[in-house]
Amino acid sequence: MPRRPFLPFACAVVMLFSPLALAQQPTQEYQAYEDALARGERQANVWQYGWAGVYATSLAFNAYQASEADDRDDRYDARVGVVKSALALAGTLMDDQPHPAAYRELREGDGDGDIESARRLLHAVAEEERQRRSLQARLGSLAINAASGLLIGVGDGRGRDGAINFATGMLISELQLQTQPRQASVAINRFKPARVSFGDVHLEGEYALLVAPNQLGVALRY
């Protein structure tokens, strides 16, 4: 019978990666989740205060234009813009991302690196990230921008300007939505389904590549 080269190769791979993959995997996985939430917290703060600054600037500019602009149409558009910017500013300041609270919860836990609790927390944050990019999350901005477009296009008889106002508002709203943190989803999706068979024995689980400055390995999760 010809010798099968697969088994020695498989054993060599297991010997190469097993100390990192099996012994250190839970600790590294927990650390990866903690790092993801830490990055998410930083981006959440930048996102919230950055967009608040954008809308505050827009509010101040529109407030000035509403009374000082020379053109009557510009003054009308600015008054509509004041309302839009004020609503957007208030909504952004009240819209707390889930990452800071989740990061505090993870750090203030039992301190024992409970990987199951960390996984549940990451999945909850990842689900909220998904909800924040869903169609339902766009309904508020759709209603506000549609109302402003109608006020200009129908109420003031300038259909083209109303359409531009609506399209511009939706583009900015979409940009705000897409720049939200998504670190939890990325961390969860690092792990891919895996299926290994040895004769009649079938193992199902997940794997992920772990790359660090001084080591390379494969994390196995069954």
Side-chain angles (χ1 to χ4, degrees), residues 142-192:
L142 177 62
I144 293 173
N145 288 304
S148 66
L150 289 173
L151 282 172
I152 296 172
V154 178
D156 202 43
R158 291 181 289 125
R160 182 174 180 274
D161 290 343
I164 293 174
N165 183 280
F166 169 78
T168 303
M170 289 303 299
L171 179 62
I172 294 173
S173 298
E174 185 67 20
L175 182 61
Q176 182 185 11
L177 184 147
Q178 292 298 333
T179 53
Q180 295 179 108
R182 61 177 74 198
Q183 279 81 1
S185 299
V186 172
I188 292 296
N189 291 333
R190 288 174 62 243
F191 287 86
K192 306 297 183 183

Side-chain angles (χ1 to χ4, degrees), residues 12 17 47 60 73 85 94 116 166 197 199 207:
F17 288 121
W47 178 89
D73 291 345
S85 298
M94 293 186 296
E116 292 299 328
F166 169 78
S197 299
Y207 76 95

